């Protein structure tokens, strides 16, 4: 009727959604879409999840689809891998990826290598997900970033979302993938609201694994990051813009496989590169990106050496002031960009 009267109907506007709710939506939609999908882990069912990611799912889908497990990562990860080998689609939650070390034999030796060792006859469609990297005030044994650890291993795909759209689209793509996928979330992002587009609100919205996103266009320097540091890079870019420096900020989204085409194209345009990550420097994600740039065609376009911004090369301290000094801050990124540009 409004259309007949010549009135313009507005499309549904973008909405604000937290990363927590985006992950919850993704799980809900995939559990509804495919009866082979199920979620298991510590406190994911009756308690609604340690971080409330699985809020409401146990009441909706019941004990067979949302399963509380004992505190035994090796045990329930092994059950999940076995289920995936017979074409169920388990989503295995680790309360933190630091605890995935208890199950690393299942993740690497069982899940990652089975397709190769079976000559492709056995797929393992499983998702390992949970919070990764530093939280706040949880000290050394709960603060590691495992992006480089799992990104090192053939047979795995590894994604690392930043925004709510990243979280929803990448988790849905991971659940639908026929390979083992490690989804590295960030606890400090769970409660952060992001704008979610109309497209991302669709139940069929997925983000292709292996494709980075340019979050901010720039001409002077390429800044590459993943997970929470993407936000720090955008803040640093805003600061530097006031000084006449325009940063191109790339959100990797996926650690394995790396989208080097997007990074290389940006470096060709800006002639400078800075990588940012919360993990340790040695053998890190930034180190891999710098090595690939050096080995590839974009190296000839660099006007200065690439610069890495990483976490400090120490186990995470407990004291807040020391913790802050161990994690890349906006000022560290600003300093690194100025170093790369020699200003």
């Amino acid at each position: 009727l409004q259309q007949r009267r010549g009135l313009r109907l507005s499309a549904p506007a973008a909405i604000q959604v937290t990363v927590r709710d985006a992950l919850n939506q993704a799980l809900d939609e995939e559990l509804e879409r495919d009866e082979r999908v199920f979620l298991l882990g510590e406190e994911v069912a009756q308690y609604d999840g340690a971080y409330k990611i699985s809020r409401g799912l146990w009441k909706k889908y019941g004990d067979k689809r949302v399963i509380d497990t004992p505190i035994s990562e090796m045990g329930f990860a092994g059950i999940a891998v076995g289920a995936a080998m017979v074409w169920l689609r388990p989503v295995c939650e680790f309360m933190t990826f630091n605890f995935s070390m208890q199950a690393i034999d299942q993740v690497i030796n069982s899940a990652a290598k089975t397709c190769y060792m079976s000559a492709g006859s056995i797929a393992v469609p499983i998702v390992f997900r949970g919070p990764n990297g530093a939280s706040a005030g949880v000290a050394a044994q709960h603060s590691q970033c495992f992006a480089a650890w799992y990104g090192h291993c053939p047979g795995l795909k590894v994604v690392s979302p930043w925004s709510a759209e990243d979280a929803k689209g990448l988790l849905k793509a991971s659940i639908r993938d026929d390979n083992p996928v490690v989804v590295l979330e960030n606890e400090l992002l769970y409660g952060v609201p992001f704008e979610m587009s109309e497209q991302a609100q669709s139940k069929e919205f997925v983000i292709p694994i292996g494709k980075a996103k340019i979050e901010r266009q720039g001409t002077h320097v390429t800044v590459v990051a993943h997970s929470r540091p993407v936000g720090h890079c955008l803040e640093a870019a805003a600061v530097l813009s006031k000084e006449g420096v325009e940063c191109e900020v790339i959100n990797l989204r996926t650690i394995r496989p790396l989208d080097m085409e997007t990074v290389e194209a940006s470096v060709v345009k800006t002639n400078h590169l800075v990588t940012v990550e919360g993990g340790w420097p040695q053998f890190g994600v930034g180190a891999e990106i710098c090595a690939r740039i050096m080995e590839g065609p974009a190296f000839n376009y660099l006007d200065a050496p690439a610069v890495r911004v990483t976490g400090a090369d120490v186990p995470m301290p407990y004291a807040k002031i020391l913790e802050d000094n161990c994690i890349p801050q906006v000022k560290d990124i600003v300093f690194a960009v100025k170093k790369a540009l020699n200003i």
Side-chain angles (χ1 to χ4, degrees), residues 289-302:
I289 292 170
C290 291
R292 292 206 195 181
I293 290 294
M294 186 185 72
E295 294 168 349
F299 175 74
N300 295 317
Y301 290 84
L302 280 178

Side-chain angles (χ1 to χ4, degrees), residues 24 27 31 38-71 76 91-96 129-131 185:
N24 180 266
L27 288 168
L31 283 161
F38 69 97
L39 172 67
L40 77 166
E42 296 153 358
E43 300 181 348
V44 299
Q46 296 187 42
Y47 188 66
D48 279 342
Y51 305 98
K52 306 307 174 193
I53 304 299
S54 55
R55 183 179 58 243
L57 299 181
W58 174 68
K59 289 181 180 178
K60 184 173 182 180
Y61 296 101
D63 290 324
K64 291 187 177 180
R65 305 287 301 284
V66 184
I67 304 168
D68 278 329
T69 66
I71 303 175
F76 66 75
V91 179
C92 179
E93 176 179 308
F94 295 122
M95 196 177 289
T96 149
R129 54 154 295 270
E185 302 155 11

Side-chain angles (χ1 to χ4, degrees), residues 116-287:
Y116 177 83
M117 295 179 72
S118 66
S121 63
I122 302 175
V124 187
I126 186 171
V127 172
F128 300 100
R129 54 154 295 270
N132 170 70
S135 180
V138 291
Q141 292 181 335
H142 297 74
S143 297
Q144 292 162 240
C145 175
F146 289 90
W149 292 56
Y150 287 117
H152 178 67
C153 302
L156 291 178
K157 295 183 179 180
V158 183
V159 301
S160 182
W162 168 60
S163 67
E165 284 197 7
D166 288 352
K168 181 178 180 180
L170 288 171
L171 180 54
K172 287 170 70 72
S174 300
I175 293 171
R176 298 181 187 190
D177 201 286
D178 288 340
N179 298 281
V181 186
V182 173
V183 181
L184 301 172
E185 302 155 11
N186 187 284
E187 180 184 343
L188 295 178
L189 288 174
Y190 282 156
V192 178
F194 289 87
E195 189 173 275
M196 183 174 280
S197 66
E198 178 191 357
Q199 179 189 11
Q201 296 170 44
S202 164
K203 288 186 177 182
E204 292 307 310
F205 173 72
V206 294
I207 292 173
I209 294 173
K211 185 63 181 172
K213 180 185 179 184
I214 298 175
E215 298 287 350
R216 179 188 176 115
Q217 297 282 347
T219 54
H220 296 123
V221 59
T222 298
V223 183
V224 184
H226 67 93
S227 191
R228 188 166 174 254
V230 173
H232 296 335
C233 291
L234 291 171
E235 290 180 45
V239 171
L240 288 159
S241 181
K242 296 176 182 178
E243 301 180 29
V245 176
E246 295 301 328
C247 301
E248 182 146 293
V249 178
I250 297 178
N251 172 10
L252 281 176
R253 285 179 164 176
T254 303
I255 306 302
R256 186 183 184 101
L258 278 172
D259 181 5
M260 286 306 300
E261 289 185 5
T262 296
V263 177
E264 286 175 345
S266 179
V267 170
V268 167
K269 178 173 71 171
T270 67
N271 310 118
H272 297 88
L273 173 65
V274 173
T275 67
V276 184
E277 63 190 304
W280 293 317
Q282 192 156 319
F283 313 117
V285 175

